[in-house]
Amino acid sequence: AQSVTQLGSHVSVSEGALVLLRCNYSSSVPPYLFWYVQYPNQGLQLLLKYTTGATLVKGINGFEAEFKKSETSFHLTKPSAHMSDAAEYFCASSGPDKLIFGTGTRLQVFP
Amino acid sequence: DAGVIQSPRHEVTEMGQEVTLRCKPISGHDYLFWYRQTMMRGLELLIYFNNNVPIDDSGMPEDRFSAKMPNASFSTLKIQPSEPRDSAVYFCASSLWTGGTDTQYFGPGTRLTVL
């Protein structure tokens, strides 16, 4: 069965530091891959999406992710964290007629 | 477009009462999803519809939960009778043509508290 694994339920970084959130997927064929962000008391919103083609995908708010088929990974990065990046981040994979979500990673940013 | 609209935003009720959550998807979207989010279980897919028809309700926890989509612009999730363990944030989401490859757009959620 398809699955998405997010390593680390909590990640803490200092403001200005690199953000790295890890995501691995399992699928028999290269899936579409998504990163969603959920700010406190809000719904999920799309950060970025990989379909086909270029493996480095740029999203909103300075985030980007790289699709690595050999590693079945789709890690999310941002060069310099901002306080406003504090949120929960969900990785998702395209499934049969629905998305397969990971369990989420809560990002804390310290001043 | 106004995005996915959910009502109410907050609901507090007593155990045993009926609760109805409402959702208006983005106009033109063929798919509608209901999710539940709790600290313990994370984000769970409850049920989804394609062109108003329920496709997969395997995530509905028990018979106390039911969902309908009478037309393309409206869906309800009903819990009868409600129990304290149903306390959660319930999200509705919609997507344009497919359930798995199109972006899902989420509503702001309904925070349900069952006392």
Side-chain angles (χ1 to χ4, degrees), chain A residues 11-62:
Chain A
V11 170
S12 298
V13 299
S14 299
E15 193 172 22
L18 170 73
V19 175
L20 171 61
L21 305 183
R22 299 178 188 274
C23 172
N24 289 88
Y25 67 91
S26 68
S27 175
S28 57
V29 295
Y32 286 21
L33 294 162
F34 304 76
W35 275 100
Y36 282 83
V37 60
Q38 183 181 27
Y39 298 106
N41 300 313
Q42 295 186 27
L44 282 70
Q45 57 182 273
L46 183 71
L47 260 185
L48 51 81
K49 174 182 176 179
Y50 168 78
T51 56
T52 57
T55 56
L56 184 62
V57 182
K58 295 186 183 299
I60 61 172
N61 301 337

Side-chain angles (χ1 to χ4, degrees), chain A residues 36 38 44 49 94 97-99, chain B residues 31 37 48 99-101 104:
Chain A
Y36 282 83
Q38 183 181 27
L44 282 70
K49 174 182 176 179
S94 55
D97 228 21
K98 58 188 176 183
L99 292 180
Chain B
Y31 279 78
Q37 186 177 39
Y48 71 93
T101 54
Q104 289 187 17

Side-chain angles (χ1 to χ4, degrees), chain A residues 67-104:
Chain A
F67 170 65
K68 292 187 176 180
K69 184 178 176 182
S70 61
E71 298 177 7
T72 61
S73 69
F74 190 58
H75 302 330
L76 181 70
T77 60
K78 182 174 180 177
S80 176
H82 192 272
M83 296 295 290
S84 60
D85 295 327
E88 186 146 21
Y89 293 79
F90 292 89
C91 182
S93 168
S94 55
D97 228 21
K98 58 188 176 183
L99 292 180
I100 311 299
F101 280 94
T103 52

Side-chain angles (χ1 to χ4, degrees), chain B residues 18-36:
Chain B
E18 178 179 294
V19 174
T20 299
L21 311 182
R22 297 171 176 80
C23 174
K24 177 180 169 55
I26 294 173
S27 177
H29 280 195
D30 287 344
Y31 279 78
L32 183 138
F33 303 82
W34 282 101
Y35 291 90
R36 178 172 70 175

